[in-house]
Amino acid sequence: MKSDSAIEVRDASYTLPVIPLPGKVIFPGLNTPLNVVRETGVLAVKYALDTDRVVLLLNQKNKDTESPSMEDFHAVGTIADVVDSYDPGDDSIRIAVEGSSRGEVLKLVEDSGFFSAEVSVPAEDSSSSDDASSLMRKAIKLLERYVRISKQSSSEALVIVRKEVDPGKLADYIASLIIGSQSERLQQVLDTIDPIERIRLVNQFLDEELDILELDRKIDSKVRKSIEKTHKEFYLQEKMKEIQKELGRGDNPSEIEDLREQIEKADMSEEAKEKSEKELNRLQQMPPMSAEFGVIRTYLDWILSLPWDKRTTSKFDIQQAEEILNEDHYGLEKPKERILEYLAVMKLVDKVKGPILCFVGPPGVGKTSLGKSVARSTDRNFIRMSLGGVRDESEIRGHRRTYIGSMPGRIIQGICDAKSKNPLFLLDEVDKMGSDFRGDPASALLEVLDPEQNDTFRDHYLDTAFDLSEVMFITTANTKMSIPPPLLDRMEIIELAGYTEYEKSRIANQFLIPKQVESHGLRKDSVSFSDTSISEIINKYTREAGVRNLEREVTTVCRRVAKKIAVGNDKSEQFPVDSDNLTDYLGPEKFTRRKAEEHDEIGVATGMVYTQVGGDIIAIEATTMRGKGDLTLTGQLGDVMKESAQTALAYIQSRSKSLNLPDDYNFSDNSIHIHVPEGAVPKEGPSAGITIATAMISALTGKEVRSDIAMTGEITLRGRVLPIGGLKEKVLAAHRNNIGNVIIPEENDKDLSEIPEEIRGGLRFHKVDHMTQVLDLAFRKSNASGQVSSN
């Protein structure tokens, strides 16, 4: 074999027995014990012991080779003396060897069961030089640093190296200390014959080992700190648990497992389950004292409280539903009929998908209680959410979890409260929502109320889809005008008009009075209301389309009766309430019902209006005076009503001859003033057009307007009378004020069917389509005998 190193070979050569070393290198000058167990090595040792006790220690290229061949050895080994031996009698032999020099294999043979090598001892230049001294000093410094960091080598090693003057021996000694387990590097040092190159190579290995040690030390330091922190937290947590146990607040150790079990049993969607498990795994890795721990725990509590697969068994017994609606509400025949039709369709198709019902009507007419009755008739859980004053989109969709104190929107909160997936959800006062820089909640409701989209409703807080398609949504509003058109388009409007006086009287006798008598602890005969007293409460103490204030006044009477009974300590005493003693209970009259004019007057016409509290009548006054042709409008009129007045004036100016205005009347020299009383109340709408025109024509012609007639209708420049809305409420107002004649547009004839029969029977309806017909009816005509008559 030929050595890989450049060496200078002496003339003399030796033939020595070879002891194979699997992955081990022994340097010259070192005394090392060996346990020789392989047969080739044992035979080589015995041969050496029988001769001059000198052997060649050769490292194998592959330490795992059990029976090496001649090609399996390195070219440079160590010539060593066997200084001691011991035969334990188990076919192995233990020896102590001391390396004397390097030996380069010239020839390797196998004979008598072991290897023999012809070797030469390469010459090493051990003379000192500046280069060698510098490299040796560097090696010693690096070794000192290595010993300080690794703490593996003893201080004795440093004493030895400091005394060494031979660079080659110093390199061999340091190599055996720092890379004792790295066979290939040790062999590389052994192969390097030149001492200067050898010490330089060892310095390189020292630098690399120091870099590794530095990296290990940094990693160990970080790991140690992490472990110390973990141990500290564990210690504090365990201590906290013990303190909590002493205080009786011990945590359930299986809390995480309980949450995991709840997630499995919740039967939630795949997306929600995956997200819940992810959050639970995060929770498991967090210390309970962490702020994020509470955030995640709250999130899991919300998502687990949702009824993912819990629903009530809805029933659609139409007959029972009708009985419940009639039991809870008097009147409202058309809304009840529409609700029953809606429930019938749901029963046949067995699903909720369809239009969202919207109850529109004045306050106190029973919109909210009607929703409760629908829930009771279908056996659904009832949830009410008031939208009045809501301006933040997050109220509907929830807050994102990045915000402190975030929570789901009120839709998801309501579903959690309902504890079922298919409740009846009443969105109250949907017309009272606002919008500002925080968003538009009405736009957020578009998805909620759209049956084609709400099966994947995504709340910002949950950030996972929830199916709202089984929820039955009902909304309420006082007026349609305030509802955004896109939202209104998703709803089917059911209008609840105001109650008539007769209906209010029946509701008071059948519902309100018995309810308040019972809630005030009175006997049924403790207080009695006469029909006249109820009528006076309705007309003189309330002004509303519903019955909320009526119930409040009944409550006041019952409360004062209860006080009298409590003071007199006689529960059997009876207190009748009639028109004579009503003021003793309720005080003076709160409202004086606006009456129709008692006499025919010039420039005053009675109109009918619709307000949020029902219908009412107004007296529109007009007068003329010297001026510059101005039209003055007072009474806090809206833009549309002002335009109606201007349209009426234009019609009058264009028809001055046919209207029999005075020949000498000049519009440019006269001004007209129109006033609608109760100036503090805003007034709007086009339906007062014919009333304004009638009042102005009366003022201009001097003709008196009949006091027993009220009118409503929009006017055009050509004098046509156009249809209006809210006819039922307006007619009820005329009936309440004992007006027997009503002028309505011809096209509103179809709306008369909505007016109760008892009201229609007491009124005379005049249907018109042009202003000339209105004037023929509004002005009285004199007959041949000079008496005044009406058309």
Side-chain angles (χ1 to χ4, degrees), residues 308-326:
W308 293 95
D309 198 41
K310 297 177 183 177
R311 49 177 65 83
T312 56
T313 304
S314 300
K315 63 179 182 180
F316 299 102
D317 188 332
I318 306 303
Q319 185 175 354
Q320 182 183 1
E322 185 174 10
E323 292 174 359
I324 291 174
L325 291 174
N326 290 331

Side-chain angles (χ1 to χ4, degrees), residues 324-341:
I324 291 174
L325 291 174
N326 290 331
E327 178 184 336
D328 293 346
H329 298 83
Y330 179 83
L332 305 177
E333 299 303 330
K334 186 176 180 181
K336 288 180 185 177
E337 185 63 28
R338 179 63 191 89
I339 291 170
L340 293 175
E341 291 172 358

Side-chain angles (χ1 to χ4, degrees), residues 528-592:
S528 59
F529 291 81
S530 66
D531 291 341
T532 55
S533 65
I534 294 175
S535 178
E536 287 198 17
I537 293 175
I538 293 171
N539 292 316
K540 297 181 180 180
Y541 291 89
T542 66
R543 178 176 288 179
E544 59 177 348
V547 292
R548 191 168 290 153
N549 286 324
L550 175 59
E551 183 176 13
R552 193 171 289 120
E553 298 302 326
V554 171
T555 300
T556 301
V557 173
C558 292
R559 189 170 57 248
R560 293 183 177 173
V561 169
K563 179 184 175 183
K564 290 183 178 181
I565 293 175
V567 171
N569 203 21
D570 184 5
K571 293 187 176 181
S572 63
E573 191 175 356
Q574 298 179 356
F575 295 89
V577 180
D578 53 31
S579 58
D580 295 332
N581 62 359
L582 185 61
T583 55
D584 297 337
Y585 291 99
L586 299 179
E589 299 174 1
K590 295 180 181 179
F591 299 101
T592 300

Side-chain angles (χ1 to χ4, degrees), residues 22-27 59-60 63 74 146 152 174-190 204-206 208-210 212-213 216:
K24 189 175 181 67
V25 175
I26 297 174
F27 288 99
N59 183 22
Q60 294 177 196
K63 65 178 183 179
H74 286 282
Y146 177 85
Q152 293 178 354
I174 293 175
S176 66
L177 284 176
I178 65 170
I179 50 177
S181 61
Q182 301 179 43
S183 174
E184 293 182 1
R185 286 194 169 189
L186 289 172
Q187 186 63 47
Q188 191 176 350
V189 174
L190 188 65
Q204 177 186 336
F205 289 160
L206 267 172
E208 293 175 1
E209 289 296 323
L210 283 169
I212 294 173
L213 281 176
D216 286 343

Side-chain angles (χ1 to χ4, degrees), residues 641-739:
M641 199 166 183
K642 290 178 180 177
E643 290 174 359
S644 294
Q646 293 168 350
T647 303
L649 178 59
Y651 166 75
I652 295 170
Q653 290 174 334
S654 64
R655 304 290 179 94
S656 57
K657 289 186 179 180
S658 61
L659 294 175
N660 298 321
L661 297 186
D663 294 336
D664 59 347
Y665 188 82
N666 189 345
F667 283 97
S668 60
D669 295 333
N670 293 274
S671 296
I672 300 177
H673 187 161
I674 297 174
H675 176 68
V676 182
E678 295 190 14
V681 180
K683 306 166 188 72
E684 182 61 293
S687 62
I690 64 173
T691 313
I692 294 173
T694 302
M696 282 197 291
I697 294 172
S698 171
L700 292 170
T701 60
K703 295 180 180 179
E704 296 178 346
V705 181
R706 291 170 54 185
S707 60
D708 64 340
I709 197 165
M711 60 190 74
T712 181
E714 180 180 353
I715 189 174
T716 69
L717 290 173
R718 295 176 292 165
R720 291 188 56 210
V721 179
L722 302 182
I724 45 81
L727 181 66
K728 178 181 177 182
E729 288 78 7
K730 294 176 180 179
V731 170
L732 292 179
H735 180 266
R736 281 197 302 267
N737 288 276
N738 298 317
I739 295 177

Side-chain angles (χ1 to χ4, degrees), residues 156-439:
E156 295 177 0
L158 293 176
V159 175
I160 294 172
V161 298
R162 287 176 185 143
K163 292 180 180 180
E164 185 61 61
V165 295
D166 188 327
K169 291 181 180 180
L170 180 62
D172 290 344
Y173 184 73
I174 293 175
S176 66
L177 284 176
I178 65 170
I179 50 177
S181 61
Q182 301 179 43
S183 174
E184 293 182 1
R185 286 194 169 189
L186 289 172
Q187 186 63 47
Q188 191 176 350
V189 174
L190 188 65
D191 288 345
T192 306
I193 305 301
D194 184 3
I196 302 300
E197 292 299 321
R198 198 187 310 160
I199 192 71
R200 186 176 282 117
L201 179 63
V202 169
N203 283 346
Q204 177 186 336
F205 289 160
L206 267 172
D207 281 330
E208 293 175 1
E209 289 296 323
L210 283 169
D211 288 342
I212 294 173
L213 281 176
E214 287 289 350
L215 181 60
D216 286 343
R217 189 173 70 167
K218 288 181 181 178
I219 294 173
D220 289 343
S221 176
K222 290 181 180 178
V223 171
R224 192 181 308 109
K225 287 180 181 178
S226 177
I227 292 173
E228 287 174 357
K229 182 180 178 182
T230 304
H231 286 173
K232 180 180 178 182
E233 290 176 351
F234 176 76
Y235 168 74
L236 292 175
Q237 287 171 13
E238 291 300 314
K239 195 168 183 179
M240 183 66 77
K241 286 181 181 179
E242 292 302 321
I243 293 172
Q244 288 178 342
K245 285 180 182 178
E246 291 298 323
L247 293 173
R249 304 175 190 169
D251 287 339
N252 183 359
S254 60
E255 183 179 5
I256 298 294
E257 292 305 318
D258 288 346
L259 288 172
R260 199 178 302 279
E261 185 177 351
Q262 291 178 42
I263 291 173
E264 290 295 329
K265 292 181 178 180
D267 200 16
M268 57 183 69
S269 64
E270 286 298 323
E271 180 189 6
K273 184 177 180 181
E274 181 181 347
K275 195 166 189 66
S276 300
E277 290 176 343
K278 179 181 177 181
E279 294 296 326
L280 183 60
N281 292 334
R282 288 183 60 204
L283 184 73
Q284 193 171 12
Q285 298 171 6
M286 287 185 177
M289 306 305 292
S290 167
E292 188 70 13
F293 184 93
V295 172
I296 297 176
R297 181 57 201 267
T298 303
Y299 173 82
L300 290 174
D301 287 342
W302 274 113
I303 204 168
L304 287 172
S305 64
L306 278 171
W308 293 95
D309 198 41
K310 297 177 183 177
R311 49 177 65 83
T312 56
T313 304
S314 300
K315 63 179 182 180
F316 299 102
D317 188 332
I318 306 303
Q319 185 175 354
Q320 182 183 1
E322 185 174 10
E323 292 174 359
I324 291 174
L325 291 174
N326 290 331
E327 178 184 336
D328 293 346
H329 298 83
Y330 179 83
L332 305 177
E333 299 303 330
K334 186 176 180 181
K336 288 180 185 177
E337 185 63 28
R338 179 63 191 89
I339 291 170
L340 293 175
E341 291 172 358
Y342 181 68
L343 297 179
V345 173
M346 289 173 61
K347 178 179 180 179
L348 295 178
V349 299
D350 195 27
K351 66 176 181 179
V352 180
K353 267 192 176 180
I356 309 299
L357 298 182
C358 179
F359 299 151
V360 177
V365 296
K367 301 183 294 296
T368 303
S369 59
L370 199 58
K372 291 181 181 179
S373 298
V374 175
R376 190 159 73 94
S377 63
T378 56
D379 267 1
R380 290 172 178 260
N381 296 334
F382 178 78
I383 294 295
R384 174 184 170 273
M385 171 182 168
S386 177
L387 296 174
V390 172
R391 293 178 174 272
D392 192 350
E393 178 196 358
S394 299
E395 291 283 338
I396 307 298
R397 289 188 178 275
H399 304 80
R400 300 188 188 278
R401 282 199 291 156
T402 52
Y403 300 107
I404 296 174
S406 58
M407 61 175 58
R410 294 173 66 184
I411 298 293
I412 292 296
Q413 290 184 40
I415 298 295
C416 290
D417 294 340
K419 294 181 172 54
S420 65
K421 195 178 181 181
N422 60 337
L424 188 146
F425 210 121
L426 183 75
L427 300 173
D428 214 358
E429 310 292 354
V430 74
D431 59 327
K432 304 294 192 305
M433 287 185 295
S435 61
D436 57 16
F437 64 93
R438 291 168 291 186

